[in-house]
Amino acid sequence: MSKLTGIYPWQDKLWQTLNQDRQKLHHAFLMHGRAGIGKYDFALSFSQALLCPNKNEKGQACNECPSCRWFDDESHPDFRLISPEQEASADEETVSVKKTKKKTQISVAQIRELSDFLSLSSHQTNGLRIVLINPAEALNLASANALLKMLEEPASGVIFILIVHQLQRLLPTIISRCQKVCMPVADEALALAWLSNQGVKNPKQQLAYLEGSPVKVFSEQAQFDQLSEIWGHLAFGRRLQPQAAAPVLIANSVEMGVIAIQKWIYDIVAIKLGQQIRYHVQYVSALQALADKVNLSRLFDLQKSANEFRKLALHPLNHELQMENLLVEYTKIFQA
């Protein structure tokens, strides 16, 4: 399978629109839309093209000049990427605990460090400087206010690009100072065609499981072999062996295992209520058989337990034991 490069077919029209008049670029773009549709890749391609002095007729980067080589090497002096992952652990000796946690916020220190970058001139003649923030909703109140000051008094030749999955989580004052760009979603036919061209097997099933997000399907191919094994265990219903299944469900990550259970439960409820299944189109028969034997009251209790477990997925607990307990509860929702 090839590495993803450039923009995606469902983004072609937007690319043309943004490239119609490069001389009147807004100083801040807010690229918003649901996860898994290629916002980040589009923003990277747009940033590289803005910095490239030798763009082609479509406004795309040449991929050959010094600027493009710097960008590919992640060392471009006129580009800054701000994300939660950039924050280093305060205490490297606590890595055994830290490894179960993800950075979820962009700190005010990260934004303030941009001051020196904004005060410099571009390293290229008549060039731009670009700040890409991903995801912008990771800004906390202090860092959001610090960014707001920069957007209110934009430095000459600087373009901010903010990527947002959930627009409502961003300060209205930041939104008002940006040009909003609604990122397009691929329709099912285009998404399936693209995934097939990338060599993805069973694209329709995978697209359904990841809620119509083709980029997410492509980038998370490794998890589907694991998911197939998980689904095989869940299909046993009351005959599932919790001690054997628990290590399988947490092998990739605890969160992935819990989400797998949550989506499996969703489809059982859907069938029980006479609705269409959403995530497991290839397991209709197995889910129907389980739905015929399920106790809805116990099922909803299990749903609450799964939701609570997911909240604890990043905490350093005995996850295997917790998963075993959840699976024991799962076996008890089915009648003999």
Side-chain angles (χ1 to χ4, degrees), residues 22 25 34 46 68 103 160 235:
R22 289 286 182 100
L25 285 173
R34 72 188 201 198
F46 188 55
C68 287
K103 290 292 183 183
F160 285 87

Side-chain angles (χ1 to χ4, degrees), residues 9 29 50 68 99 105 108 113 147 153 158 166 172 181 186 188 214 256 261-262 268 271 277 279 296 327 330 332:
F29 292 91
L50 288 174
C68 287
K99 69 180 181 181
Q105 294 188 344
V108 66
E113 285 173 1
L147 175 64
E153 300 176 4
V158 175
Q166 298 171 296
V181 179
E188 185 180 44
M256 190 192 99
I261 293 175
Q262 288 177 314
I268 292 177
I271 290 178
I277 65 172
Y279 299 111
L296 266 183
L327 292 174
Y330 172 75
K332 293 179 179 179

Side-chain angles (χ1 to χ4, degrees), residues 181-306:
V181 179
C182 184
M183 297 301 294
V185 177
D187 62 49
E188 185 180 44
L190 184 57
L192 291 175
W194 179 79
L195 286 169
S196 295
N197 288 337
Q198 305 306 313
V200 174
K201 298 177 181 178
N202 303 316
K204 188 175 181 66
Q205 298 170 5
Q206 296 185 21
L207 194 65
Y209 187 78
L210 291 180
E211 305 180 67
S213 300
V215 179
K216 198 171 182 181
V217 169
F218 182 90
S219 62
E220 298 187 14
Q221 278 300 289
Q223 76 161 286
F224 279 100
D225 289 338
Q226 189 73 27
L227 282 169
S228 295
E229 191 174 357
I230 289 173
W231 297 330
H233 281 283
L234 294 176
F236 281 116
R238 67 189 300 270
R239 294 182 294 112
L240 176 143
Q241 299 295 317
Q243 287 186 331
V248 177
L249 269 88
I250 66 173
N252 186 296
S253 75
V254 177
E255 188 174 26
M256 190 192 99
V258 178
I259 291 173
I261 293 175
Q262 288 177 314
K263 290 185 174 182
W264 187 263
I265 291 172
Y266 179 97
D267 278 348
I268 292 177
V269 173
I271 290 178
K272 193 70 176 177
L273 299 180
Q275 301 171 353
Q276 286 190 334
I277 65 172
R278 182 174 181 178
Y279 299 111
H280 308 88
V281 293
Q282 73 276 41
Y283 281 91
V284 177
S285 298
L287 288 164
Q288 182 65 65
L290 293 174
D292 290 341
K293 297 179 179 180
V294 78
N295 179 300
L296 266 183
S297 177
R298 290 182 180 178
L299 177 60
F300 290 135
D301 288 340
L302 174 66
Q303 204 167 33
K304 292 177 183 176
S305 297

Side-chain angles (χ1 to χ4, degrees), residues 126-144:
N126 297 323
L128 298 170
R129 285 161 294 149
I130 298 175
V131 177
L132 175 57
I133 300 177
N134 177 50
E137 60 260 51
L139 293 159
N140 57 36
L141 185 58
S143 56

